[in-house]
């Protein structure tokens, strides 16, 4: 009997040992799952990151991610406008599927977002900064988000406990909140998903006071296509309302005081719309903050009043371009400084070794190319977006990748990295083969794009298209029926529409067939186009 009891005890002990060992193994497996730090700015052009091009600005901290990881040169978006891009990132679906085709349409709240999946899988999740739609992000344990576009100075935030206002500069504040969560609030026993989302450098480009003073003294090189006349392109490029000379506002964009333009009377060219809306940022400042801006604002206004009436159109666009770059790039410098603060903390705390760091933007942006600002087009500067990913011991440092990847792919990439199953209805492709050196497993050679917000701000016509490494085929529709083709290798600035060139007719035929297949693959169709057009018209009638 005694021997039997001893045998039972031994058996029980062995079972407990196996159980504990299994639990420990499971816990170790969970603990080894990577953290994910997703950094996204708003309207950050790849041309304004020195890892891509250093002719405008140096961004040493953002560049660290590229030097220690992978830089994608053909990363792009499915729909180049803020809220739709964010909806695509969160859902891993094209905007015609998730409902957020433009900034006005409703997001389908039944859609599953990837933070929800991370939360369900045991990750701790947080979001700080600009979401741009919805006041209660799903799948997020802790958040402080800007309402709508948010403000650069003394911004309001939506939190789980209610609204609050924080004094200071928004880029610094979002970083402070992020660092505070990483240092003080997160559960160190759990892996984390942190979405660190900057407002900057979204229009209307209010830098921090010291950066405003610094950059107002600087002069920047002009893009080769600043004076593009769109001669070799179709109606869409000719009629878009995003020209620096004609459509950039003197007061809210160029920071001329409205008292100055009021004194001057009618200033040519007349820019429609409220000239003073951008000065609401200035109105939010206290006296000490205003003192950092007043001298530069006075000098801008004085120069404008003294010189504008006698300047040629060429001189005017050059002046407005410099004002644009001074403010835009000053905002970028603050983003870069603050990204550096977060990267430094990851290094100092030891978190860097098991944290995937992603830097991207919700889309690209025109920095004077083709005489434009803003985005929306399938043309390169708005279509392409920066994408830098660092993952120690997984991604070889300093690698450049040229494959056609999209913001559509982020969700599935993060899920696979964390060993979480992705829903079957997600439409992207995980970038894991590219990140881990298994490029032969990557099969995509073309991406699909569709822009819907027309007629609306900037008047960029509705269009969809297919883009490969070699070519870009675009169909503009709604009130036109025009096709454009660009040879991306021979014409990287996209100045020559070769749709009617006999030498390209085989290319046109082939790409149109591929485009039909992509629309079918992603469940887009002429019927959906017609439905969305009717819905937009119904909204106009209600107004």
């Amino acid at each position: 009997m005694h021997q039997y009891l001893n045998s039972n005890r031994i058996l029980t002990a062995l079972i407990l040992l196996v159980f504990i060992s299994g639990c420990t193994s499971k816990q170790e497996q969970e603990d080894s799952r990577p953290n994910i730090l997703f950094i996204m700015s708003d309207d950050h052009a790849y041309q304004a990151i020195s890892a891509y091009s250093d002719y405008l600005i140096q961004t040493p901290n953002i560049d660290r991610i590229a030097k220690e990881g992978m830089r994608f040169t053909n990363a792009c978006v499915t729909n180049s406008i803020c809220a739709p891009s964010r909806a695509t990132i969160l859902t891993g679906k094209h905007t015609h599927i998730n409902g957020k085709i433009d900034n006005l349409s409703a997001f389908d709240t039944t859609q599953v977002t990837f933070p929800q999946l991370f939360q369900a899988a045991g990750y701790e999740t947080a979001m700080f900064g600009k979401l741009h739609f919805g006041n209660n992000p799903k799948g997020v344990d802790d958040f402080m988000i800007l309402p709508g576009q948010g403000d650069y100075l003394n911004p309001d935030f939506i939190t789980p406990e209610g609204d609050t206002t924080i004094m200071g500069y928004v880029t610094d504040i979002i970083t402070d909140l992020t660092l505070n969560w990483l240092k003080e609030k997160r559960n160190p026993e759990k892996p984390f998903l942190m979405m660190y989302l900057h407002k900057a450098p979204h229009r209307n480009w209010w830098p921090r006071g010291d950066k405003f003073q610094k950059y107002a003294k600087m002069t920047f090189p002009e893009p080769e296509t600043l004076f593009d006349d769109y001669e070799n392109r179709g109606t869409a490029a000719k009629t878009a309302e995003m020209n620096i000379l004609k459509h950039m506002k003197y007061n809210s964009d160029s920071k001329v005081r409205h008292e100055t333009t009021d004194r001057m009377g009618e200033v040519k060219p007349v820019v429609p719309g409220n000239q003073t809306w951008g000065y609401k940022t200035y109105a939010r400042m206290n006296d000490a903050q205003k003192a950092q801006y007043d001298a530069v604002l006075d000098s801008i206004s004085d120069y404008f009043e003294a010189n504008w009436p006698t300047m040629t159109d060429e001189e005017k666009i050059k002046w407005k371009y410099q004002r644009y770059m001074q403010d835009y790039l000053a905002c970028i410098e603050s983003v870069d400084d603050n990204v550096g603060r977060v990267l430094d903390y990851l290094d100092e705390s030891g978190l860097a070794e098991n944290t995937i760091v992603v830097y991207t933007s919700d889309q690209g942006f025109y920095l004077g190319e083709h005489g434009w600002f803003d985005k929306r087009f399938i043309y390169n500067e708005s279509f392409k977006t920066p994408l830098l990913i660092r993952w120690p011991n997984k991604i070889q440092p300093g690698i450049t990748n040229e494959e056609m990847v999209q913001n559509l792919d982020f969700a599935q990439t993060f899920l696979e990295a964390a060993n979480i199953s992705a829903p079957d209805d997600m439409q992207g492709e995980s970038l894991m083969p590219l990140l881990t050196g298994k490029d032969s497993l990557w099969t995509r050679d073309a991406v699909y794009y569709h822009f819907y917000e027309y007629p609306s701000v900037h008047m960029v016509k509705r269009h969809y298209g297919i883009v490969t490494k070699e070519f870009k085929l675009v169909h503009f529709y709604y009130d036109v029926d025009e096709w454009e083709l660009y040879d991306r290798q021979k014409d990287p600035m996209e100045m020559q529409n070769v749709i009617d060139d006999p030498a390209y007719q085989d290319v046109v035929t082939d790409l149109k067939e591929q485009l039909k297949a992509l629309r079918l693959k992603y469940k887009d169709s002429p019927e959906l186009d017609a439905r969305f057009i009717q819905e937009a018209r119904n909204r106009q009638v209600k107004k």
Side-chain angles (χ1 to χ4, degrees):
M1 184 72 175
H2 180 70
Q3 186 176 5
Y4 174 76
L5 288 173
N6 280 342
S7 298
N8 270 354
R9 289 192 187 104
I10 292 169
L11 181 60
T12 301
L14 285 172
I15 291 170
L16 283 171
L17 183 62
V18 171
F19 177 75
I20 292 168
S21 176
C23 289
T24 303
S25 176
K26 182 175 184 293
Q27 185 64 46
E28 286 175 352
Q29 183 181 359
E30 287 182 353
D31 288 348
S32 69
R33 291 181 298 175
N35 306 307
I36 297 176
L37 174 65
F38 180 71
I39 312 171
M40 184 165 70
S41 50
D42 194 309
D43 293 342
H44 191 173
Y46 66 89
Q47 313 93 284
I49 295 177
S50 47
Y52 287 96
S53 173
D54 61 0
Y55 85 105
L56 284 175
I57 191 173
Q58 293 290 331
T59 53
N61 294 298
I62 297 172
D63 289 0
R64 281 166 60 183
I65 304 171
K67 289 175 183 176
E68 297 167 5
M70 184 173 289
R71 176 177 66 104
F72 288 85
T73 59
N74 266 318
C76 59
V77 295
T78 65
N79 184 356
S80 184
I81 188 167
C82 297
S85 174
R86 292 158 190 269
T88 290
I89 289 169
L90 287 170
T91 63
K93 299 175 188 176
H94 278 273
T95 52
H96 63 272
I97 300 295
N98 65 48
K100 196 67 180 165
I101 60 167
D102 56 32
N103 281 335
L104 299 175
S105 58
F107 174 65
D108 178 1
T109 57
T110 67
Q111 295 286 325
V112 174
T113 65
F114 78 81
Q116 288 176 277
L117 300 173
F118 272 82
Q119 187 183 56
Y123 269 71
E124 193 167 18
T125 58
M127 178 185 292
F128 296 101
K130 181 177 178 181
L131 176 61
H132 196 193
F133 68 94
N135 294 340
N136 188 15
K138 296 194 297 184
V140 180
D141 297 319
D142 194 8
F143 65 87
M144 292 184 72
I145 57 175
L146 299 166
Q149 294 288 2
D151 289 290
Y152 273 105
L153 266 295
N154 308 329
D156 300 323
F157 283 89
I158 299 165
T159 80
E161 291 78 34
D163 296 353
T164 188
T165 301
I166 303 178
M167 299 298 289
Y169 187 66
V170 69
T171 307
D172 299 331
I173 293 168
I174 292 169
T175 305
D176 291 343
L177 296 172
T178 298
L179 285 170
N180 179 64
W181 188 87
L182 289 171
K183 293 176 180 179
E184 307 294 339
K185 299 178 72 176
R186 71 181 181 88
N187 180 353
E189 301 301 318
K190 286 186 172 185
F192 65 80
L193 166 68
M194 162 60 74
M195 302 192 74
Y196 167 42
L197 310 175
H198 283 294
K199 169 185 170 58
H202 192 278
R203 189 184 185 189
N204 48 354
W205 317 300
W206 277 91
R208 200 174 68 186
D210 57 333
K211 307 287 188 186
F212 189 56
Q213 296 171 22
K214 172 184 174 181
Y215 274 74
K217 301 172 185 176
M218 299 172 71
T219 302
F220 298 94
E222 298 167 358
E224 289 182 41
T225 59
L226 181 61
F227 297 98
D228 189 356
D229 61 7
Y230 322 116
E231 178 183 357
N232 297 306
R233 272 173 294 171
T235 305
K238 295 180 174 71
T239 57
E241 296 179 357
M242 42 199 272
N243 181 268
I244 289 175
L245 175 61
K246 296 177 181 178
H247 305 113
M248 188 171 277
K249 300 180 187 298
Y250 306 117
N251 306 121
S252 59
D253 294 327
S254 297
K255 311 299 189 300
V256 179
R257 292 192 188 272
H258 58 84
E259 297 91 345
T260 300
T261 50
D262 288 347
R263 273 199 311 275
M264 294 172 69
E266 187 179 273
V267 182
K268 297 288 187 178
V270 176
V271 181
N274 182 0
Q275 286 283 318
T276 63
W277 67 269
Y279 261 82
K280 71 184 181 73
T281 299
Y282 183 79
R284 295 181 69 87
M285 300 180 197
N286 59 35
D287 290 344
Q289 290 169 331
K290 287 179 180 178
Q292 291 191 294
Y293 293 85
D294 280 338
V296 176
L297 291 173
D298 287 343
S299 68
I300 292 168
S301 298
D302 291 346
Y303 182 90
F304 184 85
E305 188 167 11
N307 293 279
W308 193 263
T310 59
M311 290 167 72
T312 65
D313 282 353
E314 181 175 328
E315 290 170 333
K316 288 176 179 178
I317 195 171
K318 285 173 173 284
W319 182 83
K320 291 181 85 173
Y321 169 76
Q322 292 300 329
R323 279 272 56 250
Y324 172 30
M325 287 300 94
Q326 288 164 358
D327 292 347
Y328 180 93
L329 295 172
C331 291
I332 295 294
E333 185 168 279
S334 285
V335 171
D336 187 69
D337 290 347
N338 280 282
V339 167
R341 291 173 60 201
V342 177
L343 295 180
D344 286 346
Y345 174 71
L346 293 182
D347 289 344
E348 293 160 6
S349 65
L351 286 170
E353 283 303 304
N354 195 34
T355 300
I356 300 171
V357 177
V358 178
Y359 187 87
T360 191
S361 175
D362 52 355
Q363 63 265 317
F365 214 67
Y366 291 100
L367 304 184
E369 298 88 2
H370 310 294
W372 287 334
F373 64 101
D374 205 69
K375 57 250 183 183
R376 289 168 167 77
F377 273 116
I378 196 173
Y379 304 138
N380 265 353
E381 289 79 12
S382 61
F383 169 72
K384 287 176 64 173
T385 190
L387 179 59
L388 312 170
I389 305 179
R390 182 184 81 179
W391 190 1
N393 304 314
K394 293 286 187 178
I395 298 176
Q396 187 177 341
I399 296 295
T400 297
N401 189 285
E402 299 180 352
E403 296 299 332
M404 301 298 302
V405 304
Q406 287 190 293
N407 57 352
L408 184 70
D409 304 322
F410 294 169
Q412 279 152 285
T413 303
F414 302 153
L415 291 167
E416 183 175 348
N419 198 28
I420 302 170
S421 297
D424 292 338
D425 61 349
M426 282 188 172
Q427 296 182 304
E429 296 182 28
S430 170
L431 304 180
M432 286 291 285
L434 303 178
L435 300 179
T436 55
K438 299 174 182 176
D439 293 24
S440 61
L441 299 178
W442 184 260
T443 57
R444 178 196 287 156
D445 57 10
V447 295
Y448 180 62
Y449 180 90
H450 200 153
F451 176 79
Y452 299 86
E453 194 169 291
Y454 176 88
S456 187
V457 178
H458 297 300
M459 297 300 284
V460 172
K461 294 187 183 299
R462 295 178 185 235
H463 58 288
Y464 58 84
I466 180 174
V467 185
T468 69
K469 291 179 185 177
E470 295 80 19
F471 298 104
K472 181 177 294 181
L473 179 73
V474 194
H475 182 211
F476 291 93
Y477 68 99
Y478 182 78
D479 56 352
V480 294
D481 182 9
E482 296 180 358
W483 290 83
E484 296 181 6
L485 176 69
Y486 296 93
D487 187 325
R488 301 184 71 207
Q489 304 298 316
K490 295 181 180 178
D491 180 25
M493 294 183 188
E494 299 174 327
M495 298 290 286
Q496 299 286 335
N497 172 21
V498 293
I499 193 72
D500 294 323
D501 187 330
Y504 288 91
Q505 291 317 293
D506 288 345
V507 173
V508 172
T509 300
D510 179 54
L511 286 177
K512 283 188 175 181
E513 287 302 312
Q514 288 190 53
L515 179 56
K516 286 180 184 177
L518 278 184
R519 277 168 68 82
L520 186 63
K521 173 182 177 179
Y522 292 122
K523 301 178 182 179
D524 202 1
S525 66
E527 291 76 21
L528 271 180
D529 298 343
R531 192 190 98 193
F532 292 138
I533 287 170
Q534 189 57 52
E535 288 175 358
R537 287 172 175 162
N538 292 343
R539 285 201 301 263
Q540 289 296 322
V541 170
K542 288 180 181 178
K543 286 183 180 179

